[in-house]
Amino acid sequence: MTAKRNIALVGIGKIARDQHVPALAASPDWELAATVSRSGTIDGVESHTDFAAMLAARPDIGTVSLCMPPMPRYAYAEAALLAGRHVMLEKPPGATLAEVHALQDLAVRRGVTLFATWHSRMAEAVAPAKAWLADKTVLRAHITWREDVRKWHPGQDWVFEPGGMGVFDPGINALSILTDILPKPVHLAAATLFFPANRDTPIAAKLTFSGGVTADFDWRQTGPQTWDIRVETDKGTLDLRMGGNRMSVDGTEVAGENSIMGEYPALYARMALLVATGQSDVDLAPMVHVADALTLGRRVIVDAFDF
Ligand code: NAP
């Protein structure tokens, strides 16, 4: 067995604690050697509050995983790449497309790995769905992604600040699956965006793509949460439920499980492979659709929102 590689986790908040720390604790590939966060720490792990100081103090940490919100992430990613470290980005990979292109160029110039992760692509049923769709003609598809922002982003005002993407923060997970599984790409044709009267990003969105594809994103759903994608083809109907973790064809379950807990271990296994083989993985297709929605979207003002 090869030695584990040292990794630092940066931005110790909700997703770092919920998913990254457990995934790293169980990983055969990675040793969580340090954290960097202004206030967050993990018991038993060396903690820093200053990123530059950690990079200088720990040249043995070759990889950093950035878990802070997208707006502040670019400066951390740039500093890490300039310091010759491999970088793993939470989704969405940045606040703008151009800044992620700049990071891609920098990673190439520094000869290090950049991995823009899409955790939903690692959901159990996504690969089987892609394989099933590969030889079909898609007639229509619809995404229903409705969840409770208070449950998943409690008190996180950054999601409603410019660059926070609003309901596209979860919606981009659906788009990461869609762009992976469809046999032919689609593009956005129209969007209606629902902005709370007191906020800068949408709380709901309705999207129409080419190829008969539509989407309904809403952050105001209380009670049961819905993360479904239905794809109607010339040879039957595929349903993905539970955020890509369960799959049925014409109503019969064919793949998947009820847990999302495999997604982050799979991301870290992929990062280990990318680093070992000297590759990068940056696919901006999901983010292009979000940028296009914010470009094309018709604005509707709805009730003010407070946590
Ligand atoms: P969060 O808890 O609000 O933020 C994570 C940490 O980032 C914070 O605890 C904070 O740590 C640090 N941070 C916040 N603002 C910062 C700034 N301006 N500069 C430097 N550090 C800052 O957010 P989260 O829910 O973990 O989401 C982070 C990312 O993960 C997002 O891109 C999100 O889309 C993605 N994600 C979230 C979830 C979820 O369920 N919430 C699921 C999957 C993916 P310190 O104050 O200690 O510095």
Side-chain angles (χ1 to χ4, degrees):
M1 184 174 145
T2 51
K4 292 186 182 186
R5 294 175 198 268
N6 282 339
I7 191 167
L9 211 48
V10 188
I12 304 302
K14 185 167 190 311
I15 198 59
R17 291 181 203 284
D18 285 359
Q19 296 289 345
H20 291 258
V21 171
L24 286 170
S27 171
D29 302 306
W30 299 102
E31 182 71 37
L32 178 55
T35 61
V36 184
S37 211
R38 297 163 309 176
S39 56
T41 59
I42 300 296
D43 281 350
V45 180
E46 176 183 311
S47 63
H48 296 254
T49 53
D50 185 80
F51 190 50
M54 188 282 291
L55 291 173
R58 295 296 305 266
D60 59 311
I61 297 179
T63 302
V64 300
S65 177
L66 303 182
C67 306
M68 72 283 292
M71 278 300 280
R73 203 180 301 127
Y74 175 80
Y76 285 81
E78 183 189 42
L81 294 170
L82 285 172
R85 302 323 210 272
H86 307 292
V87 173
M88 186 162 155
L89 303 169
E90 248 301 346
K91 50 62 55 171
T96 69
L97 290 163
E99 69 179 31
V100 187
H101 286 137
L103 295 176
Q104 272 184 291
D105 289 348
L106 185 54
V108 170
R109 277 187 274 125
R110 304 303 289 199
V112 292
T113 293
L114 180 66
F115 181 21
T117 66
W118 299 108
H119 66 86
S120 291
R121 284 187 175 174
M122 298 299 188
E124 281 291 317
V126 170
K130 181 176 182 163
W132 188 82
L133 284 169
D135 62 353
K136 314 273 185 316
T137 299
V138 173
L139 307 175
R140 241 172 266 101
H142 184 68
I143 301 171
T144 310
W145 223 253
R146 292 173 154 256
E147 60 175 55
D148 182 352
V149 64
R150 290 186 175 91
K151 178 173 165 67
W152 302 103
H153 292 279
Q156 292 179 4
D157 281 313
W158 64 262
V159 298
F160 287 114
E161 288 165 5
M165 290 190 191
V167 75
F168 291 107
D169 180 86
I172 204 168
N173 297 333
L175 297 174
S176 75
I177 296 175
L178 184 83
T179 49
D180 196 24
I181 64 173
L182 285 186
K184 275 195 202 154
V186 295
H187 58 266
L188 195 82
T192 305
L193 308 177
F194 300 86
F195 285 77
N198 59 340
R199 299 287 187 168
D200 285 317
T201 62
I203 197 164
K206 290 190 190 303
L207 310 179
T208 304
F209 296 85
S210 59
V213 178
T214 50
D216 172 12
F217 299 159
D218 204 317
W219 241 347
R220 298 167 295 186
Q221 175 146 316
T222 53
Q225 310 282 285
T226 312
W227 299 289
D228 294 348
I229 301 176
R230 167 167 285 194
V231 187
E232 295 173 43
T233 78
D234 58 333
K235 294 179 192 138
T237 297
L238 169 92
D239 279 298
L240 279 177
R241 286 175 291 108
M242 296 279 301
N245 279 290
R246 296 201 71 93
M247 165 176 164
S248 59
V249 173
D250 293 333
T252 303
E253 286 277 335
V254 293
E257 58 173 51
N258 274 327
S259 168
I260 64 159
M261 290 308 283
E263 296 175 16
Y264 281 79
L267 289 180
Y268 279 102
R270 173 136 184 81
M271 183 64 179
L273 183 70
L274 291 172
V275 169
T277 55
Q279 299 175 77
S280 286
D281 179 351
V282 181
D283 176 13
L284 292 176
M287 203 166 150
V288 166
H289 291 318
V290 173
D292 284 356
L294 293 169
T295 303
L296 285 180
R298 181 180 301 280
R299 171 186 287 248
V300 176
I301 303 295
V302 296
D303 288 350
F305 177 87
D306 293 293
F307 282 103

